[in-house]
Amino acid sequence: MKLEEGYMPYLGHQTYYRVVGERSGNKKPLILLHGGPGSTHNYFEVLDDMAVDGRQLIMYDQLGCGKSAVPSDPSLWTKETWVNELAALREHLGLDEVHLLGQSWGGMLEIIYACDYAPKGIKSMILSSTLSSASLWAQEQHRMIKFMSDEDQAAIAKAEETGVYDDPAYLAANDRFMVRHAAAVPTEDSPEPLRREKVPGTESYITAWGPNEYSPTGTLQPYEYTDKLPTLDMPILITSGTNDLSTPLVAKTMYDAIPNAKWELFAYSRHMPFVEEREKYVNILEAWLAEND
């Protein structure tokens, strides 16, 4: 399997990218947009063996994290920085016709790009465990918090009321919430990409989103795109887990708004069905891409 790594100059910094496989035939490349902001591409490497028979996978670390980490600069962390980076990467790599898969924040990025920039050459989009409304996301996270212990609920409520997010009780409660709805803490048995050390985009996450998943207070707080979704006319696949941060209500809200969308709900997954139900996810994804090349 061919693997190419490189860097693209961007805003005076360097955006790291990783290209797996070789392009041939009618199969269009799949660009993978990671979550966060600030999560890195690493977890997408569990999909590497999809890059066969002409299917090329392109993944990259968005500016501000991983191998694209930069010195502190809060002014960078706006949707425009990352959308323009995606457009620049397509041009840099000559990606005229592509599929897009965005997970979590990556799906938001995908929606912003498609709705506000009307890019050409998008064969299909996969919205993986993502959202079209920051306010609905916050509402659903707070609904799920109510299923936690009284102590954890109190610790989270106190942090949100005071703005103090370093209290040990809050940190422990937030960790439990994320294990329940995002992902387990990696162990030595986890796939290597999940265990690998990385440079997290902490500043980009806090500045753009907020201190946690349920308190959007950053530059992305105004993110409300549900009403724009009906303008999307390319094939769109929505994927999510039953115990996902992207709850069934969040996913269904997108499904209801997008013309002719398809939605796959994974029964045994949290925020990363492509990890927790990998074989089923890959089978669905491969069929989807082949259908829409």
Side-chain angles (χ1 to χ4, degrees):
M1 183 184 298
K2 182 179 180 181
L3 174 63
E4 175 191 353
E5 297 178 283
Y7 288 87
M8 174 188 72
Y10 182 64
L11 297 182
H13 303 291
Q14 298 285 321
T15 294
Y16 165 84
Y17 61 84
R18 179 178 184 271
V19 181
V20 189
E22 297 184 76
R23 207 184 317 177
S24 67
N26 192 49
K27 292 189 175 182
K28 303 302 186 290
L30 173 64
I31 303 178
L32 297 148
L33 312 175
H34 67 70
S39 178
T40 82
H41 81 278
N42 295 11
Y43 53 17
F44 284 139
E45 292 185 26
V46 303
L47 301 175
D48 274 2
D49 59 9
M50 286 183 58
V52 294
D53 300 328
R55 179 76 66 203
Q56 202 172 51
L57 304 186
I58 293 95
M59 49 196 84
Y60 67 105
D61 288 344
Q62 297 160 24
L63 197 68
C65 67
K67 296 181 180 180
S68 304
V70 300
S72 173
D73 186 354
S75 69
L76 283 173
W77 313 131
T78 64
K79 63 182 182 181
E80 289 79 13
T81 290
W82 291 301
V83 177
N84 290 330
E85 180 183 39
L86 171 57
L89 187 69
R90 284 188 67 190
E91 183 174 357
H92 183 76
L93 296 177
L95 301 171
D96 296 330
E97 290 189 307
V98 296
H99 303 278
L100 297 177
L101 187 156
Q103 189 264 349
S104 196
W105 145 250
M108 297 168 62
L109 173 57
E110 193 176 2
I111 288 171
I112 295 166
Y113 182 50
C115 289
D116 292 351
Y117 290 68
K120 297 184 183 302
I122 307 301
K123 300 296 290 184
S124 80
M125 293 179 17
I126 299 94
L127 301 175
S128 185
S129 297
T130 189
L131 59 144
S132 60
S133 164
S135 60
L136 178 61
W137 184 268
Q139 173 186 308
E140 279 290 273
Q141 308 315 303
H142 283 93
R143 180 184 62 80
M144 293 192 295
I145 288 169
K146 293 177 182 177
F147 292 99
M148 302 180 74
S149 70
D150 291 343
E151 292 79 10
D152 283 351
Q153 291 186 58
I156 290 170
K158 180 181 178 182
E160 292 192 298
E161 181 180 346
T162 63
V164 176
Y165 291 100
D166 58 1
D167 181 82
Y170 159 75
L171 294 172
N174 188 63
D175 285 347
R176 282 187 281 271
F177 179 81
M178 294 299 285
V179 166
R180 183 177 294 184
H181 299 294
V185 177
T187 69
E188 60 182 15
D189 297 323
S190 302
E192 188 278 331
L194 275 62
R195 294 183 275 112
R196 187 186 311 153
E197 285 194 28
K198 63 183 181 181
V199 179
T202 304
E203 181 182 87
S204 60
Y205 179 81
I206 292 174
T207 304
W209 185 252
N212 53 48
E213 281 302 306
Y214 33 87
S215 303
T217 56
T219 60
L220 293 172
Q221 184 184 37
Y223 173 82
E224 298 293 337
Y225 274 73
T226 304
D227 289 346
K228 296 185 179 184
L229 295 182
T231 66
L232 300 177
D233 59 1
M234 69 284 286
I236 294 178
L237 172 64
I238 299 164
T239 64
S240 62
T242 56
N243 208 20
D244 201 331
L245 294 168
S246 178
T247 67
L249 177 60
V250 170
K252 187 177 185 299
T253 297
M254 295 185 291
Y255 175 71
D256 288 346
I258 298 171
N260 303 314
K262 182 178 180 180
W263 175 24
E264 291 285 351
L265 182 61
F266 289 79
Y268 308 105
S269 291
R270 288 164 287 188
H271 204 39
M272 295 189 293
F274 56 87
V275 172
E276 295 191 300
E277 294 181 69
R278 183 188 170 284
E279 183 176 356
K280 177 181 178 182
Y281 196 98
V282 167
N283 288 339
I284 290 170
L285 181 56
E286 287 182 334
W288 172 264
L289 295 174
E291 181 183 342
N292 291 292
D293 277 325

